[in-house]
Structures are given as structure tokens and as C-alpha cells.
Amino acid sequence: MFPPQARLESLEVVALVALFVCAALPLRRGRRRSDDAAAAMQAVVLRVEEDGQTRSVSVSVPVTIGRAPSATLVIPDSQVSRVHARIDVWDGAPSIRDLDSRNGTLVNARPIEGATVLRDGDEIDIGMTRIVFCGVGAWK
């Protein structure tokens, strides 16, 4: 068997690891909540060009784009998946991600893979619809 000193040292190591884990978890959760809260107070401004008409929308992030009625920005186009793409703000930078749509998402006429940072004036093509990213502002 192990001498009593070895057991005590091993218990000290386990206690230190447990203390470190317990101390680190609340900080991580707190940061995530504050990031989510900051993002929820932001709005994305978009210019949607479809069927020869243009409309401007200002919606809070995250923005889901798709054909489904539950999407934040509904695009009634058979080439658009039910839940096609998502715009979100990560670390203060707006980005778009294709959600494994059937026909893909283009930014400035290029297919995207993974999260793609958006800049003012970027053109997002989803199906037959063009969406111009106009920026991020405070949600009113």
C-alpha cells in the first residue's frame, strides 16, 4: 500500500485541481452571458433586394435567414433552405455562416465556408435574393 504521506500529497493535488476548475467555471459563464447580452442589444441593418423591390430591415442579432416562417428574415424562394444562413456578432465582428443549405450562400459572389466576417456594403446572395449588409447598430 501507499505510505500515508503519498496519499496526503495526492489528495492535495486533487483538491487544488478541483478548486481551480470551480474557480474557472463561473468566470467563463459570466463572460459568455455578457457577450450574449451585448449581442442582444445590437441590430443588423440589411437592404433586401428581391422580386425587383428593395426593403430595409433592422433586426436584432442573431439573424436567421430562410424560407421557414420561424426565420428572422423570411425569404419566400424555393432555392432558399428552410433555415439557410445565420448572421451573428462574435467578438464585436459581424459574421455570416451558411447552415448546410442545399444551394449555399455567397458573399461578394464567392461561396462561403464557415463563418465569414461581414463589412459594410458586402453583398450576400441567397437563392434569387440579394442582401446588402449595411452595418451593425444599437437595437432600439
Side-chain angles (χ1 to χ4, degrees):
M1 288 270 187
F2 296 107
Q5 182 65 23
R7 284 188 193 165
L8 187 57
E9 288 173 2
S10 124
L11 284 175
E12 288 173 352
V13 169
V14 169
L16 284 173
V17 168
L19 183 62
F20 175 76
V21 169
C22 289
L25 285 176
L27 290 176
R28 217 167 155 203
R29 285 189 195 128
R31 264 191 242 129
R32 177 173 281 165
R33 269 189 233 126
S34 67
D35 288 346
D36 290 346
M41 294 186 304
Q42 294 181 333
V44 174
V45 181
L46 306 168
R47 189 173 70 235
V48 182
E49 302 168 358
E50 59 188 342
D51 298 327
Q53 297 182 343
T54 301
R55 62 184 166 125
S56 291
V57 295
S58 177
V59 290
S60 64
V61 291
V63 180
T64 54
I65 304 169
R67 204 177 68 242
S70 60
T72 311
L73 179 59
V74 178
I75 300 176
D77 178 346
S78 61
Q79 293 182 7
V80 175
S81 297
R82 291 182 54 75
V83 182
H84 195 101
R86 177 182 167 126
I87 297 174
D88 213 336
V89 176
W90 296 101
D91 295 329
S95 63
I96 187 167
R97 177 183 298 273
D98 185 83
L99 299 176
D100 296 326
S101 66
R102 183 175 25 138
N103 295 318
T105 302
L106 305 176
V107 173
N108 298 325
R110 294 187 177 162
I112 63 170
E113 291 184 22
T116 301
V117 174
L118 292 170
R119 291 175 181 74
D120 292 1
D122 279 350
E123 296 179 351
I124 303 163
D125 292 314
I126 295 179
M128 299 300 293
T129 302
R130 172 159 291 158
I131 302 167
V132 179
F133 179 77
C134 299
V136 176
W139 178 248
K140 297 176 185 175

